[in-house]
């Protein structure tokens, strides 16, 4: 016998017993007044009515509980209705627990999508917004609460997006402008369920910018190499086709040599840049004496100037920098060579090391050269940016020197500062942070030229 059959038998037996008790009571009462049959019937009816009324009251209390908010406890009854209320309540609480667990899982899932760096937008079969994460809201200029259930194409009005959504061919992503000032977005749509759509957006502004920079860079390099190559080709033609005197031949060869040197310098700078971009940060525990660096760049500057300038190099005897000696040499050397190249004959150039109040240090080069107009200063560390291209060519520059300097300094945690006035001269400063510089016992030699 099942549990419920047993319970049914018990209930029938108890009802029967109550009915029998009522009838017996009625019989006893009827006998005393001489109406035993009527007494028995009335006793049965009273017992039945009593049982029915009690059942109805219990059922009504249960129905009342079921109609109202079910977070209240179910009515505690005895017997059938008590059992029913208990079972309904247990079922309800079980469902509530399952729903709460599902809600928790959904919340976790949504907060996972919320954490995505990409925008996620869910559209129903009619193209209404069902849900979107914060990134998508930012990409498309939506309000995640207010714009729910709105038609997406009413809010995302880019014609590219609207036609892509309408065409229904989602094999390829589309590129469209983001909401006001949001750059460029790449949007990928995937259909799922019964006509719903998942819209994924990614901000590709940076990617596009670096693509454009790479294209510019390749164009610039090609241009820079093509110019000396064209000149060389012209000279080769001249040499092979024209009968030149020995003096003319020597002159052409010298010019060819000049162009070759220019190309070599360009290739060397390009390799340096590529190396800087591709290698790990310079070590922070290898210490390079500033004095050694200054001595090396001083010798090069003197050779480049060939006595046309007064060059002073000083300080740094007590300083060391943590980093790459080759990179630092290249940065210091570039600044000094620029000072020599952009300072007319008779000018003065001073390079020195100075400690800073914050514990950092800086390498500073000051010249009395041609200077740089204010509007050019923010751009001079860009690759191939020249204030005056013809002058750079004259002085043999590649247009990459300062971008190498900037790279090196940034890799050492520092920055480049420039102060300049046209016609009066410039000061370039490589400022290094305290973590990258330290003092050591000074030796008293002075560097001068
Ligand atoms: P370049 O090979 O042309 O010298 P750089 O990157 O070293 O390339 O410098 C970029 C531009 O900055 C130069 O073309 C020049 O116009 C300007 N410049 C750099 N250093 C100086 C300086 N000391 N005085 C004046 N102008 C300078």
């Amino acid at each position: 016998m099942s549990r419920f059959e047993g319970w049914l038998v018990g209930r029938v037996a108890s009802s029967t017993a109550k009915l029998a008790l009522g009838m017996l009571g009625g019989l006893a009462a009827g006998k005393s007044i001489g109406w035993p049959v009527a007494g028995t019937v009335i006793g049965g009816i009273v017992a039945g009515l009593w049982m029915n009324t009690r059942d109805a009251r219990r059922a009504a209390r249960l129905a009342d509980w079921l109609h109202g908010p079910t977070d209240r406890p179910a009515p505690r009854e005895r017997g059938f209705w008590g059992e029913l209320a208990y079972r309904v309540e247990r079922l309800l609480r079980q469902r509530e627990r399952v729903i709460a667990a599902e809600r928790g899982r959904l919340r976790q899932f949504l907060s996972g999508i919320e954490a995505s760096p990409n925008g996620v937008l869910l559209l129903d079969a009619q193209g209404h917004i069902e849900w979107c994460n914060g990134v998508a809201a930012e990409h498309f200029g939506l309000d995640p609460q207010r714009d729910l259930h709105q038609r997406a194409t009413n809010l995302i009005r880019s014609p590219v997006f609207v036609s892509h959504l309408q065409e229904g061919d989602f094999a390829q992503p589309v590129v469209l402008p983001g909401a006001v000032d949001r750059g460029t977005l790449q949007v990928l749509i995937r259909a799922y369920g019964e006509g719903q759509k998942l819209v994924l957006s990614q901000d590709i502004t940076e990617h596009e910018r670096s693509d454009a920079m790479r294209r510019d860079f390749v164009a610039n390099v090609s241009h820079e190499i093509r110019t000396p190559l064209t000149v060389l080709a012209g000279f080769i033609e001249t040499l092979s086709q024209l009968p030149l005197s020995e003096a003319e031949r020597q002159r052409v060869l010298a010019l060819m040599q000049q162009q070759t040197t220019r190309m070599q310098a360009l290739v060397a700078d390009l390799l340096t840049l590529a190396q800087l971009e591709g290698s790990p940060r310079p070590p922070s525990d290898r210490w390079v004496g500033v004095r050694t660096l200054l001595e090396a760049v001083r010798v090069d500057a003197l050779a480049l100037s060939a006595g046309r300038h007064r060059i002073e190099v000083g300080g740094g005897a007590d300083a060391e920098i943590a980093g790459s000696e080759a990179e630092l040499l290249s940065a210091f050397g570039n600044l000094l060579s620029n000072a020599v190249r952009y300072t007319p004959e008779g000018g003065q150039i001073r390079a020195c090391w100075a400690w800073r109040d914050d514990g950092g240090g800086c390498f500073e080069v000051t010249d009395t050269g041609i200077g740089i107009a204010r509007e050019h200063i923010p751009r001079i560390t860009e690759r191939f940016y020249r204030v005056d291209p013809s002058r750079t060519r004259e002085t043999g520059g590649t247009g990459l020197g300062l971008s190498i300097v900037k790279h090196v300094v940034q890799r050492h945690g520092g920055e480049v500062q420039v102060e300049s006035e046209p016609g009066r001269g410039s000061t370039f400063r490589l400022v290094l942070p305290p973590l990258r510089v330290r003092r050591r016992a000074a030796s008293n030699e002075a560097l001068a030229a």
Side-chain angles (χ1 to χ4, degrees), residues 121-125 127 165 170 189-192 195-199:
L121 187 68
L122 302 181
L123 304 183
D124 67 13
L165 199 63
F170 305 135
I189 302 182
R190 287 282 177 263
Y192 73 97
Q196 291 106 310
K197 278 157 205 98
L198 167 73
V199 181

Side-chain angles (χ1 to χ4, degrees), residues 30 78 115 129 131 338 349 384:
R78 285 161 58 88
I129 298 172
W131 185 83
N338 277 354
I349 294 159
F384 296 115

Side-chain angles (χ1 to χ4, degrees), residues 272-349:
T272 307
L273 265 180
Q275 221 162 18
L276 288 176
E277 277 171 359
S279 53
R281 269 190 153 221
S284 55
D285 56 354
R286 192 168 310 151
W287 293 92
V288 184
V290 170
R291 184 55 162 274
T292 322
L293 298 172
L294 295 188
E295 181 55 36
V297 295
R298 184 183 76 106
V299 172
D300 289 348
L302 287 173
L304 187 64
S305 161
R308 289 175 297 126
H309 310 91
R310 202 145 67 78
I311 300 177
E312 273 176 44
V313 179
D318 62 341
E320 283 182 327
I321 303 175
S324 152
E325 180 167 1
E327 288 183 23
L328 292 166
L329 261 179
S330 147
F332 284 24
N334 261 306
L335 286 193
L336 257 178
S337 104
N338 277 354
V340 171
R341 289 188 296 118
Y342 297 106
T343 301
E345 194 164 347
Q348 199 176 336
I349 294 159

Side-chain angles (χ1 to χ4, degrees), residues 18-39:
K18 281 168 189 157
L19 197 65
L21 264 175
M23 287 167 81
L24 278 175
L27 177 66
K31 258 187 188 166
S32 64
I33 54 165
W35 287 355
V37 177

Side-chain angles (χ1 to χ4, degrees), residues 18-24 26 37-53:
K18 281 168 189 157
L19 197 65
L21 264 175
M23 287 167 81
L24 278 175
V37 177
T40 308
V41 172
I42 291 170
I45 289 172
V46 169
L49 268 177
W50 175 73
M51 278 192 298
N52 261 345
T53 313

